[in-house]
């Protein structure tokens, strides 16, 4: 293994250097050490397994929860000349892919977690050469996490068949409890965790009670030039919101949700990515796998699912590092509905869900720095005041905020 990682990075991707903790993660993987990398969305997690995959002997098996994301990743990997394939129920060239793996002609093989437990796949791996197991969206393995997928629990027996093959778990969204759970579930040593900084200093956070949400968001749009995303909870809501905002602001506004005709959905997404001033009203289905650096604002017309979800969704703003705004509008009815929904999930999960909602309530209701609460949630200890959130920029009446906090958080 003569090549040095930076020269591989430059040669394949054309990037001058690694970013943040990428180099640390890559070095561990190349040294055969199992690792959990907690890195924010957009930090460049994919590269931390793709690059070692091109340098190590054998194939990196990449576990990914969504077939659509897998195909995006595949295209991106192939675009830089990495030999990659997916092995999923929708692929028609499975025999060919198996052959390429057995012949040692694949750097990366993407699979869904449920495949890991099949005898077929176990046999295939036995007959080839595995260099690395990369587990993307690793929080899915934890019941404590916000997106538990039971299929992720099927991975461990397969991993344990290869004690000498390093495991690389990747996630953007893990609080301390979830992280500990991932290490435990996937058999990664505690000192194998690398956490990247979560702060996005160019994003200005603001959170307001709803008054007239459509008018409030129209005002935000008028004040904020550039492209933006408005997250709306229901499919019908995205279309209503798009119509109202279009009329109110005169900006190009489109709707996006999973129920739209696929052709329309594709077009709206592509136009948004290309546009400098379009606003898209979307359900949370929108955003995963979209790489648009110049989103200038993200608005929430209601409560997100959790602080992790809020961080991930607002994180789609300002990836280019230029100033961007994240503005959440919430009402008491959002909390009431969320509490009701918690009452309907299986009892074992209710305490975790309730804690998640309370954390969100604390963020919404604080009279202090929003960023501080957000980062503390990810285990960081930022200064008392960030100077770039609504409360730091214009401190609210502390007594008022405490009153409302009591009203919504106690019940
Ligand atoms: P994540 O999975 O952490 O959200 P991705 O792996 O999708 O992030 O990468 C996000 C973007 O960052 C991609 O467009 C990728 O090409 C880019 N990127 C990754 N590493 C670097 C780097 N070292 N220098 C510049 N751009 C990078
Ligand atoms: Mg990723």
């Amino acid at each position: 293994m003569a090549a040095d990682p930076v020269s591989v990075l430059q040669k394949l991707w054309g990037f001058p250097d690694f970013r943040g903790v990428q180099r640390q993660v890559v070095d561990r993987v190349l040294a055969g050490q199992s690792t959990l990398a907690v890195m924010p969305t957009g930090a460049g997690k994919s590269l931390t397994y793709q690059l070692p995959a091109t340098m190590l002997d054998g194939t990196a098996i990449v576990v990914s929860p969504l077939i659509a994301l897998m195909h995006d990743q595949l295209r991106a990997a192939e675009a830089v000349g990495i030999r990659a394939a997916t092995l999923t129920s929708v692929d028609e060239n499975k025999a060919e892919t198996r052959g390429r793996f057995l012949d040692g002609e694949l750097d990366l093989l993407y699979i869904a977690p449920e495949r890991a437990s099949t005898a077929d796949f176990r046999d295939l791996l036995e007959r080839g050469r595995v260099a690395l197991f990369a587990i993307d969206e690793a929080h899915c393995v934890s019941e404590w996490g916000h997106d538990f997928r039971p299929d992720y629990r099927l991975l461990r027996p397969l991993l344990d068949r290869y004690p000498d093959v390093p495991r690389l778990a990747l996630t953007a969204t893990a609080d301390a409890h979830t992280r500990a759970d991932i290490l435990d579930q996937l058999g990664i040593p505690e000192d194998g965790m690398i956490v990247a900084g979560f702060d996005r200093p160019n994003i200005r956070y603001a959170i307001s009670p709803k008054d007239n949400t459509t008018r409030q968001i129209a005002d935000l749009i008028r004040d904020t030039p550039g492209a933006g995303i408005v997250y709306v909870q229901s499919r019908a809501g995205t279309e209503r919101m798009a119509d109202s905002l279009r009329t109110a602001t005169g900006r190009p506004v489109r709707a996006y949700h999973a129920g739209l005709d696929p052709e329309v959905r594709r077009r709206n997404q592509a136009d948004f990515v290309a546009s400098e001033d379009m606003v898209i009203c979307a359900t949370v289905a929108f955003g995963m796998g979209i790489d648009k650096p110049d989103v200038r604002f993200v608005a929430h017309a209601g409560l997100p699912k959790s602080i992790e979800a809020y961080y991930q969704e607002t994180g789609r703003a300002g990836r280019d590092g230029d100033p961007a705004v994240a503005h959440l509008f919430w009402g008491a009815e959002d909390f009431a509905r969320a509490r009701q929904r918690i009452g309907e999930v299986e009892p074992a999960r209710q305490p975790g869900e309730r804690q998640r909602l309370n954390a969100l309530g604390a963020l919404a209701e604080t009279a202090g720095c929003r960023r501080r609460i957000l980062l503390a949630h990810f285990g960081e200890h930022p200064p008392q005041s960030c100077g770039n959130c609504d409360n730091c920029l214009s401190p609210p009446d502390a007594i008022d905020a405490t009153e409302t906090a009591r009203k919504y958080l106690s019940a």
Side-chain angles (χ1 to χ4, degrees):
M1 200 205 299
D4 125 77
V6 178
S7 57
V8 176
L9 177 74
Q10 292 169 346
K11 184 166 145 248
L12 290 185
W13 279 270
F15 298 145
D17 208 343
F18 287 107
R19 279 195 319 212
V21 299
Q22 276 181 331
R23 178 63 196 257
Q24 262 174 280
V25 177
V26 165
D27 283 348
R28 282 188 59 92
V29 171
L30 290 174
Q33 296 167 312
S34 289
T35 303
L36 165 59
V38 185
M39 296 161 67
T41 302
K45 287 185 285 297
S46 323
L47 207 144
T48 64
Y49 61 81
Q50 291 173 340
L51 188 143
T54 67
M55 298 179 69
L56 294 167
D57 231 2
T59 303
I61 307 299
V62 185
V63 179
S64 178
L66 290 173
I67 291 177
L69 288 186
M70 249 184 258
H71 285 120
D72 286 347
Q73 298 262 349
L74 175 64
R75 273 192 295 278
E78 283 178 332
V80 300
I82 295 176
R83 302 169 304 169
T86 60
L87 195 58
T88 73
S89 52
V90 302
D91 292 319
E92 278 159 19
N93 55 348
K94 289 202 257 300
E96 183 198 327
T97 298
R98 289 195 183 92
R100 289 173 72 195
F101 170 72
L102 293 174
D103 293 340
E105 284 168 9
L106 281 180
D107 300 313
L108 296 173
L109 178 59
Y110 287 92
I111 62 157
E114 61 270 21
R115 185 165 298 269
S117 66
T118 65
D120 236 25
F121 188 67
R122 267 203 314 268
D123 292 345
L124 180 71
L125 289 199
E126 288 292 304
R127 293 187 289 126
R129 178 149 192 169
V130 182
L132 164 70
F133 287 104
I135 300 111
D136 206 3
E137 313 291 347
H139 54 274
C140 293
V141 80
S142 171
E143 255 182 294
W144 185 263
H146 59 93
D147 194 14
F148 175 53
R149 307 279 177 100
D151 285 336
Y152 266 69
R153 292 289 173 89
L154 307 174
L155 294 172
R156 183 63 183 274
L158 181 72
L159 302 180
D160 285 348
R161 294 168 71 98
Y162 297 86
D164 298 327
V165 172
R167 307 162 185 187
L168 173 59
L170 301 148
T171 182
T173 58
D175 57 20
H177 201 129
T178 310
R179 289 173 197 177
D181 212 12
I182 296 172
L183 294 173
D184 190 40
Q185 297 289 342
L186 295 176
I188 296 170
E190 240 168 87
D191 61 4
M193 180 164 78
I194 294 178
V195 181
F198 273 76
D199 192 15
R200 299 285 309 278
N202 61 313
I203 298 181
R204 191 174 80 222
Y205 297 101
I207 301 183
S208 313
K210 279 179 192 171
D211 157 12
N212 172 335
T213 325
T214 308
R215 186 184 50 71
Q216 287 170 304
I217 293 178
D219 287 345
L220 170 70
I221 292 173
R222 282 190 210 94
D223 292 345
T224 320
I229 304 172
V230 179
Y231 283 113
V232 181
Q233 263 138 352
S234 71
R235 292 178 181 187
T238 65
E239 299 193 28
R240 275 199 306 274
M241 181 68 83
D243 290 340
S244 315
L245 292 178
R246 198 178 306 114
T247 311
T249 66
R251 288 269 283 272
V253 187
R254 303 267 182 90
Y256 184 99
H257 59 77
L260 284 177
D261 177 71
E263 191 45 50
V264 174
R265 205 164 68 209
R266 223 178 349 260
R267 178 157 26 92
N268 287 356
Q269 172 171 332
D271 289 352
F272 174 72
V273 169
S275 166
E276 284 178 9
D277 66 347
M278 186 175 285
V279 176
I280 197 131
C281 297
T283 55
V284 290
F286 184 77
M288 262 207 264
I290 292 179
D291 198 7
K292 181 171 175 60
D294 59 343
V295 174
R296 295 274 67 86
F297 66 88
V298 169
H300 281 88
L303 268 197
K305 243 178 67 184
S306 61
I307 289 200
E308 282 88 350
Y310 172 73
Y311 180 83
Q312 190 141 29
E313 286 149 21
T314 55
R316 290 171 188 142
R319 286 205 189 175
D320 54 8
D322 290 343
V325 176
H327 205 140
L328 160 65
F329 299 92
W330 62 275
E333 71 277 11
D334 293 330
F335 281 97
R337 211 177 308 124
R339 265 198 301 269
Q340 190 189 342
R341 227 176 290 132
I342 291 172
E344 289 156 8
V345 307
E346 77 191 78
R349 303 195 54 194
Q350 290 185 4
E353 295 288 335
R354 207 164 289 126
Q355 192 168 328
R356 251 190 286 286
L357 181 64
N358 285 346
L360 206 48
L363 175 69
E365 288 290 344
T366 186
C369 176
R370 310 276 189 198
R371 192 180 311 272
R372 186 174 157 78
I373 292 204
L374 201 55
L375 294 180
H377 187 80
F378 295 111
E380 295 185 22
H381 305 285
Q384 205 63 36
S385 167
C386 73
N388 194 27
C389 71
D390 52 354
N391 287 347
C392 286
L393 289 165
S394 64
D397 181 338
I399 295 167
D400 244 32
T402 320
E403 276 300 305
T404 23
R406 211 172 11 246
K407 206 158 94 205
Y408 296 127
L409 289 179
S410 55

